[in-house]
Amino acid sequence: QQQVKQSPQSLIVQKGGIPIINCAYENTAFDYFPWYQQFPGKGPALLIAIRPDVSEKKEGRFTISFNKSAKQFSLHIMDSQPGDSATYFCAASIQGGSEKLVFGKGTKLTVNP
Amino acid sequence: GAVVSQHPSWVICKSGTSVKIECRSLDFQATTMFWYRQFPKQSLMLMATSNEGSKATYEQGVEKDKFLINHASLTLSTLTVTSAHPEDSSFYICSAGRREQYFGPGTRLTVT
């Protein structure tokens, strides 16, 4: 119930492509869904987050799509660049709870020039 | 976003010694901080929740006597790895914030 399942494990796209990373959850109490970007040897950086009262959120080239009924959410990266090559983690937490983040296993994205 | 720092960024110690890692929230107060451990090419594993002024809450399977956490102020939490062994070598990361968690840059611990 506490798991967040993330796919794919790795993803290779060409520059300008639109990589899509998917996550699914079981616990309907989750109400906050952030995405983090991590470069090797660095801490994760918060990219964008969504709450279940909206179906989509955009920030720059990053878009989250949220499907509450399917308990799924995804990250889309528009016009991807080689500098976007990193590992991306989805996560979920419960408002008013322990605020602990439950992370997916991560997706290693490679954007080729 | 908010800034979280960690010190040191990397440390090498000998087996049997103790190592202290600091986590600071630089521009906000944090009553709660979180400590994670990350193995190569793996996700973040939550070790414990650090609560200002009270005892830390450890996740199942994490040895509280080995990983001592102190949250003495609203901007500082420390993780001490006691009697470190090579299997404790890992990347340790802290985070702070409420709904929006901000992560520190991480500390690479190598135990020889």
Side-chain angles (χ1 to χ4, degrees):
Chain A
Q1 276 254 326
Q2 287 296 314
Q3 282 187 329
V4 176
K5 295 183 179 179
Q6 184 172 346
S7 63
Q9 186 175 358
S10 63
L11 187 55
I12 300 174
V13 299
Q14 293 298 119
K15 178 182 174 181
I18 306 176
I20 300 173
I21 304 170
N22 301 297
C23 286
Y25 63 98
E26 288 296 323
N27 189 346
T28 55
F30 286 142
D31 60 357
Y32 176 69
F33 304 89
W35 284 89
Y36 286 88
Q37 178 190 57
Q38 186 179 30
F39 292 103
K42 306 294 183 183
L46 178 63
L47 263 182
I48 185 173
I50 198 168
R51 288 175 172 77
D53 53 344
V54 298
S55 60
E56 185 177 278
K57 183 175 181 180
K58 292 183 180 181
E59 285 188 7
R61 295 185 294 109
F62 301 95
T63 298
I64 299 179
S65 296
F66 187 84
N67 186 329
K68 187 175 181 178
S69 60
K71 292 184 284 186
Q72 295 175 349
F73 57 109
S74 60
L75 176 70
H76 301 230
I77 305 176
M78 305 301 177
D79 187 28
S80 59
Q81 302 296 314
D84 296 329
S85 297
T87 299
Y88 292 82
F89 293 96
C90 62
S93 68
I94 301 172
Q95 182 181 15
S98 63
E99 308 288 352
K100 291 192 294 186
L101 288 170
V102 178
F103 280 90
K105 292 192 174 183
T107 297
K108 183 177 180 181
L109 171 66
T110 302
V111 182
N112 289 325
Chain B
V3 180
V4 177
S5 70
Q6 279 183 243
H7 178 80
S9 56
W10 59 270
V11 58
I12 301 173
C13 71
K14 292 188 176 181
S15 186
T17 61
S18 295
V19 174
K20 180 184 287 187
I21 302 170
E22 293 185 348
C23 176
R24 294 182 184 273
S25 55
L26 296 186
D27 52 2
F28 66 101
Q29 294 183 332
T31 56
T32 302
M33 293 182 174
F34 299 92
W35 286 97
Y36 295 82
R37 184 173 181 177
Q38 187 177 35
F39 292 103
K41 300 183 179 180
Q42 292 190 24
S43 188
L44 292 84
M45 182 188 79
L46 179 65
M47 298 175 65
T49 303
S50 174
N51 304 297
E52 189 268 335
S54 64
K55 291 183 179 181
T57 305
Y58 291 83
E59 295 299 301
Q60 190 172 9
V62 177
E63 299 176 61
K64 59 182 66 176
D65 293 332
K66 180 165 193 60
F67 299 100
L68 299 179
I69 292 173
N70 184 279
H71 194 151
S73 78
L74 288 171
T75 59
L76 174 65
S77 175
T78 60
L79 168 68
T80 301
V81 183
T82 62
S83 186
H85 291 283
E87 57 265 31
D88 299 323
S89 298
S90 192
F91 192 52
Y92 292 88
I93 318 173
C94 69
S95 73
R98 292 292 291 178
R99 297 311 305 276
E100 294 183 342
Q101 287 285 322
Y102 295 94
F103 284 81
T107 297
R108 173 73 59 192
L109 170 63
T110 301
V111 184
T112 62

